[in-house]
Amino acid sequence: MQKLDEEKIKDFYNSVDNVWGNNDPWHDYSRSVISKYISKKDIFKHSILLNAGSAGNTYNIDCERMYHVDIAEEKIKNMENAIVASIEKLPFEENYFDNIICVGSVLNYCDAFNAISEISRVLKPNGNLIIEFESSWGYEYINTESYKRNACIITTEYIEAQHRQWLYSHKYIFKILSSYNLKIVQRKSFHIADGLLSRICSDQTAVKYTKTLDKFLSHTPILREHGNNIILHCIKKL
């Protein structure tokens, strides 16, 4: 697969104060959904947890020990158990972690095969993985070459800068997870309606309505396929 410029990505995230943007309703909503999803999971206590691509976020997880891995050293320099590394090449032994989280669309900056392979390698059998990513099935990509593509690179504007990232079909990610013995036990789609609403109103208004609409659309099989973001709870099979 084509490689992204890791040094450019690292420099960008080292330079920004808040990786979730500044008063950005789209990313504020993403952070809210991810944080709430994680807070409802009673799986972390007494566990050794890998926070893959953490950017220094803990999500208020109560665990025995959390390891922070990120390529942007400035974001994790004040965290305990911080290691500067790519999630495509994790410096840990096999079956080391009880649980892993990889959220904040970290996967979209990686080769999904390499990243998921490494995540599976260092996760114990019966261990939990919470992973989130941006999907090419999102309504905002309708009428573009990216729509429903298995994997493609797009250029986006974020915090007043142009940068490149991968976009993946959720079906493509599901196949990779399955090939590495990671069974999906729960799925949540969000940012479903705002891809369409943003065509007729401001991004802020679109996100405002999406917060309500997502609660219903995420339970409708056909519509939830078009969530711009997907968060999954997986368990590594024996």
Side-chain angles (χ1 to χ4, degrees):
M1 294 180 73
Q2 186 179 348
K3 295 287 290 183
L4 297 177
D5 188 338
E6 187 174 291
E7 285 298 314
K8 188 173 182 179
I9 296 168
K10 180 182 73 172
D11 291 344
F12 173 79
Y13 281 102
N14 272 331
S15 69
V16 298
D17 293 328
N18 181 5
V19 299
W20 292 100
N22 300 313
N23 299 316
D24 176 347
W26 198 94
H27 289 91
D28 284 346
Y29 176 49
S30 295
R31 177 173 57 181
S32 173
V33 171
I34 291 168
S35 297
K36 187 175 182 180
Y37 187 89
I38 290 173
S39 71
K40 290 184 175 181
K41 295 295 179 181
D42 187 23
I43 56 176
F44 302 114
K45 204 167 185 178
H46 308 303
S47 72
I48 299 175
L49 172 71
L50 171 62
N51 191 339
S54 81
N57 294 293
T58 66
Y59 301 98
N60 295 314
I61 294 172
D62 180 14
C63 60
E64 180 179 329
R65 186 162 68 255
M66 180 184 295
Y67 285 83
H68 292 262
V69 167
D70 205 292
I71 61 171
E73 67 275 4
E74 288 297 315
K75 290 293 170 284
I76 59 173
K77 66 181 181 181
N78 296 319
M79 311 304 295
E80 291 186 12
N81 305 311
I83 298 174
V84 179
S86 167
I87 67 170
E88 294 183 36
K89 193 173 182 180
L90 294 167
F92 302 103
E93 298 177 359
E94 292 183 9
N95 305 324
Y96 187 80
F97 293 100
D98 300 302
N99 299 299
I100 297 175
I101 65 170
C102 181
V103 296
S105 301
V106 173
L107 189 65
N108 293 93
Y109 292 98
C110 304
D111 180 313
F113 267 108
N114 291 343
I116 292 172
S117 170
E118 279 291 272
I119 285 171
S120 178
R121 181 183 67 81
V122 302
L123 181 63
K124 292 180 179 178
N126 287 324
N128 297 276
L129 166 65
I130 306 297
I131 190 166
E132 178 266 340
F133 61 95
E134 295 180 30
S135 169
S136 64
W137 281 53
Y139 281 129
E140 73 170 283
Y141 301 110
I142 287 179
N143 298 325
T144 72
E145 293 182 356
S146 304
Y147 188 52
K148 292 188 178 183
R149 291 273 299 275
N150 279 342
C152 62
I153 292 176
I154 62 171
T155 300
T156 64
E157 184 170 333
Y158 181 44
I159 314 183
E160 300 179 350
Q162 296 281 324
H163 66 148
R164 285 151 54 88
Q165 67 176 62
W166 281 102
L167 201 60
Y168 294 116
S169 159
H170 61 281
K171 294 184 178 182
Y172 178 69
I173 296 300
F174 293 175
K175 287 180 180 179
I176 300 174
L177 290 166
S178 177
S179 71
Y180 286 106
N181 297 319
L182 291 161
K183 180 182 179 181
I184 299 169
V185 296
Q186 188 180 50
R187 165 186 174 182
K188 180 179 179 61
S189 299
F190 57 105
H191 282 303
I192 302 171
D194 47 352
L196 292 175
L197 292 174
S198 61
R199 297 167 185 254
I200 58 175
C201 57
S202 69
D203 288 345
Q204 187 169 354
T205 301
V207 172
K208 177 182 177 181
Y209 285 111
T210 293
K211 289 179 181 179
T212 300
L213 291 171
D214 272 358
K215 295 175 183 178
F216 302 98
L217 301 181
S218 62
H219 296 291
T220 306
I222 293 176
L223 295 176
R224 76 173 185 178
E225 294 289 296
H226 297 278
N228 192 86
N229 291 61
I230 297 173
I231 188 166
L232 306 170
H233 180 182
C234 308
I235 295 177
K236 183 178 175 181
K237 295 184 291 184
L238 294 173

